[in-house]
Amino acid sequence: MASLATAPFDVLSAICKCLPFHDIVSLRRVCKNLQNVISTDKTLWAHVLKRDIVHRNIPLVPYRQSFELVNAPIVESWTRNAISLQKAYKSTRCLSVDQFTTDVRAITWVKLIRGRWCLFASSNALESRLSLLDISSSCDRICAEVLLSGPVMDGQIEQHNSGIVVALSVGSRERFVQIFSIGISGNIVEIVEIHRIPGADRTLFLRGSIIGVAVLDGDDSNPTLIDWKTGKLCALQPSIELTSKDEPIYSSVCLSMTVWKQFVVVAFSTEIRVYIFPPDGICAATLHRTYASPDGFQMNQAIFICNETGDGDFSEGIENALLYIFRQDRYGDMSVQILNEQGEFQLETIPCDIPPRGCGGSSRSMVLSMTAGLTGSKICLLYACPHEPEVPPGLMVASINRHMHIDNTEICSDYQVLPDANLPFLHFWPCFDFDDSRGILIIGTSRGELCISRFVPKDVMPQGSVMEELPRLTIGAKQPCLSPVALDLPIYHQLREYLHNDIVIPPLIVDDLVRHWQLPEDMSISVAGWSSDWHRFKHLRRWIMPSLRWGRLDPEFSAAGFWRYSSVNKIRFSFGFCGEPCPVMYREDDHDIVIFRIGQRPYMLLERPGQQEHFPIALFRTSLSELPHVLQDLDPGDLHRNHLVYIRDTGFCNTQEWNQLDCVAHFDYIVQYLTECADPIGFEPNPKEWTNEQWSTLNVAAREAGFKPYDFVERELTDDNEDEGYDSIRDYYEGCDYEIIGSGEFVWDTPPEEPFW
């Protein structure tokens, strides 16, 4: 009787196709003949891959080699990698982690390229770098690096076989978007500049020669599509629409953008808009649909995930393609909105129920930030407990059911908290990128740590199974790769310690500080009773600090100093603007009343002493050039009733950003307490070893010893507060109904009704 090992090849292949994966692997170990037959049967492994992976909607590596060019072991490795990852995402084992440090430079942006290359931006007040790291071997091998004239605030990347293009918002004195190409030239890895867009800021989207930005020339009124090769522009509908209504409005920040099917989908802080993408190039875009968020719902982040493509060699395209818009609100809750191929919104907003305090606690988990995996099958969440800021933030990974039936509301499932034993401290404004098809998570922090975390060993897939090499450079560089670039920051950053002292600022320095406040196109505005003589302006120090170049990583973004010194950043963070506020003029008899502009839009601000967190802002219904006609011979009541639209305060930062600030403050003061305490509690010196209960215990002990994190409602009064007769910040708001949530954020039930003068 013939044995199975001597069966014809086609018979053995047919039998193996009926077996589950683990039985095929076991059968292969019986003898050398079975080992050889099974290991070299490419059609068998293609069948197993399609049956066990593709048909179960488990994603494959999108940058794998073409099926025609690989052998059976490589096809098997694709299957093994996918199966191993599914187990690893549900495991509680610590991740394999490689560490890299920039020492004194904060890491502000990271991106993983083809599972092998880590592109990251790092900077401090002295230098800014864009670096490419090869993570396939040693984590301390920088392959290419360029110097930048300012810190990187955000970026977009497009990867395809013919090239890799990166667009970065650079926070130099005059902001711009810098575009690079990454590849191989003469067997040398290079990062070369190919273009820059002056005045552009806040990158949202990149595809081909089209880039989307939220700010252009300091103006955030219109998110704009730019063809950087031709210079053509397409401005989308304004973020703030002026109406005849009297009630205050929210400034609507543009958060993210994508081009999907024939649509441009734009997520704002208060709504989602769908535009019809112009088929004949960039010229105009027609508004197709608007989904307004429920009253009071303020989005803080939005990411797009689509299910429109299949897996190439192993599946057909997906019918009824959908675009999933994951939205994170200001309170750290996450929800999903679904858009179909016709540009229509499906169902209502679907909430995502994040497990309390990770997966085993009882306190609500607040999402601080989120990032989608490369294939869109997983989402990585940075979370914290808003009522326990001393407990370190954590990471969790959830599955996204992109192939769900439209009636199934369970979009996110299988939440799994990641063990943090080998991860960097997540307190310090981490930035992420996640390749869910390879199980690689990149984390960078404001304290210069770069962490490459792996869910499965790096050798699961053999060499040649994926296209991980960089493409050949085909675009000539505008500058040599290693040419020196001096950091070009606003003069404030060079003189900030000097400027905060109680001394008179020399006239030459004042002229340099206010130079970027000049009106566009040589415009001049002169109105009786108003002045733009900044040498006589009493509150110059409130305005000379420019908007933050590093975001929350800025040297001036300290819990105590930032909020007190900068009207510019109060405006940006409290009212949700992303453009640059520039003063235009102030009332000669009341320097607290200031007219400022963001781009070409004029606003009015009243900043009363004692009003440290919430203060009124109004938008003029007229243009900048018409201001003299509006202001002349009008009493304040007329101006208030007929020419101004009030902007609603969205709260300083938002609740989850306050929570992140609390995490930083609690970490620092607890460590300081242990350093200075004469009789410290007997804990391990490494905070990584502390449990959540130990963090809480240390928090209580540090508070009792007099170490406290900053909290604005406990801030000591300034001279200005006392001059106005306010005993506390709360007294200023007496007569208004409000509650304090999270770490001291005001939520109005009944806002102040009186005009702001």
Side-chain angles (χ1 to χ4, degrees), residues 302-314:
I303 56 178
F304 302 101
I305 297 174
C306 66
N307 66 343
E308 63 178 341
T309 58
D311 282 303
D313 300 309
F314 304 100

Side-chain angles (χ1 to χ4, degrees), residues 462-482:
Q463 187 175 7
S465 59
V466 293
M467 295 182 290
E468 60 180 16
E469 297 297 330
L470 295 174
R472 291 285 172 184
L473 282 173
T474 58
I475 304 174
K478 280 195 169 185
Q479 64 178 44
C481 178
L482 297 177

Side-chain angles (χ1 to χ4, degrees), residues 655-675:
T655 308
Q656 64 264 45
E657 289 173 331
W658 264 119
N659 201 85
Q660 188 78 56
L661 278 173
D662 277 349
C663 290
V664 175
H666 278 81
F667 180 92
D668 285 339
Y669 89 82
I670 287 174
V671 171
Q672 183 184 4
Y673 160 71
L674 287 176
T675 302

Side-chain angles (χ1 to χ4, degrees), residues 174-187:
E174 301 297 333
R175 296 187 181 189
F176 60 91
V177 169
Q178 196 165 2
I179 302 176
F180 296 94
S181 181
I182 299 176
I184 303 291
S185 176
N187 296 322

Side-chain angles (χ1 to χ4, degrees), residues 608-627:
R608 290 297 186 197
Q611 206 168 345
Q612 305 227 8
E613 273 66 46
H614 294 255
F615 53 110
I617 283 181
L619 168 64
F620 282 92
R621 295 180 185 273
T622 188
S623 65
L624 199 60
S625 60
E626 294 296 319
L627 274 183

Side-chain angles (χ1 to χ4, degrees), residues 127-404:
E127 67 173 13
S128 179
R129 294 174 179 263
L130 180 65
S131 310
L132 187 67
L133 193 68
D134 184 355
I135 66 172
S136 64
S137 53
S138 173
C139 283
D140 57 2
R141 182 181 163 212
I142 296 290
C143 301
E145 199 165 51
V146 292
L147 295 174
L148 307 173
S149 61
V152 171
M153 298 178 293
D154 53 66
Q156 305 293 324
I157 187 168
E158 184 182 27
Q159 307 179 46
H160 44 76
N161 294 339
S162 59
I164 297 172
V165 178
V166 183
L168 304 174
S169 294
V170 179
S172 59
R173 186 186 308 238
E174 301 297 333
R175 296 187 181 189
F176 60 91
V177 169
Q178 196 165 2
I179 302 176
F180 296 94
S181 181
I182 299 176
I184 303 291
S185 176
N187 296 322
I188 298 176
V189 178
E190 290 195 30
I191 305 172
V192 297
E193 181 184 354
I194 55 176
H195 194 72
R196 65 174 60 191
I197 307 173
D201 189 14
R202 190 82 174 266
T203 61
L204 304 170
F205 168 80
L206 175 65
R207 182 178 297 176
S209 63
I210 308 299
I211 183 171
V213 297
V215 181
L216 190 60
D217 296 326
D219 193 347
D220 61 359
S221 301
N222 305 75
T224 305
L225 294 173
I226 304 173
D227 188 326
W228 57 267
K229 290 185 177 179
T230 64
K232 292 183 179 179
L233 305 177
C234 175
L236 304 178
Q237 199 163 321
S239 303
I240 301 179
E241 296 182 24
L242 296 180
T243 66
S244 59
K245 297 180 181 179
D246 293 330
E247 63 265 20
I249 61 174
Y250 284 110
S251 61
S252 196
V253 182
C254 187
L255 301 173
S256 56
M257 175 191 298
T258 190
V259 172
W260 184 68
K261 303 295 183 180
Q262 72 270 30
F263 304 110
V264 180
V265 185
V266 186
F268 295 88
S269 56
T270 57
E271 62 188 4
I272 299 171
R273 295 181 183 172
V274 182
Y275 300 86
I276 298 176
F277 190 71
D280 54 349
I282 292 186
C283 53
T286 306
L287 182 62
H288 175 66
R289 284 287 183 272
T290 298
Y291 176 84
S293 298
D295 194 29
F297 184 94
Q298 291 279 303
M299 284 185 285
N300 184 59
Q301 186 181 2
I303 56 178
F304 302 101
I305 297 174
C306 66
N307 66 343
E308 63 178 341
T309 58
D311 282 303
D313 300 309
F314 304 100
S315 68
E316 297 76 28
I318 297 172
E319 296 181 2
N320 301 319
L322 300 172
L323 181 69
Y324 295 86
I325 307 170
F326 283 77
R327 315 184 311 167
Q328 170 203 353
D329 70 18
R330 59 186 294 195
Y331 303 115
D333 294 320
M334 189 171 71
S335 60
V336 181
Q337 189 70 40
I338 302 175
L339 194 70
N340 66 17
E341 292 181 276
Q342 289 73 45
E344 307 290 339
F345 291 101
Q346 301 290 298
L347 305 176
E348 296 297 325
T349 301
I350 303 171
C352 297
D353 296 325
I354 309 299
R357 181 79 173 280
C359 291
S362 58
S363 300
R364 182 177 78 88
S365 292
M366 168 187 289
V367 177
L368 301 179
S369 62
M370 56 185 179
T371 186
L374 178 64
T375 69
S377 69
K378 298 284 182 182
I379 188 168
C380 184
L381 308 174
L382 176 69
Y383 72 93
C385 176
H387 303 298
E388 299 179 21
E390 72 278 2
V391 175
L395 286 173
M396 68 172 74
V397 172
S399 298
I400 300 174
N401 304 319
R402 296 180 301 153
H403 305 268
M404 55 167 255

Side-chain angles (χ1 to χ4, degrees), residues 587-606:
R587 283 282 291 268
E588 291 180 334
D589 58 352
D590 189 347
H591 291 206
D592 290 319
I593 300 176
V594 179
I595 293 176
F596 67 94
R597 65 181 177 88
I598 297 180
Q600 296 274 6
R601 282 197 164 185
Y603 296 80
M604 182 174 284
L605 159 71
L606 173 75

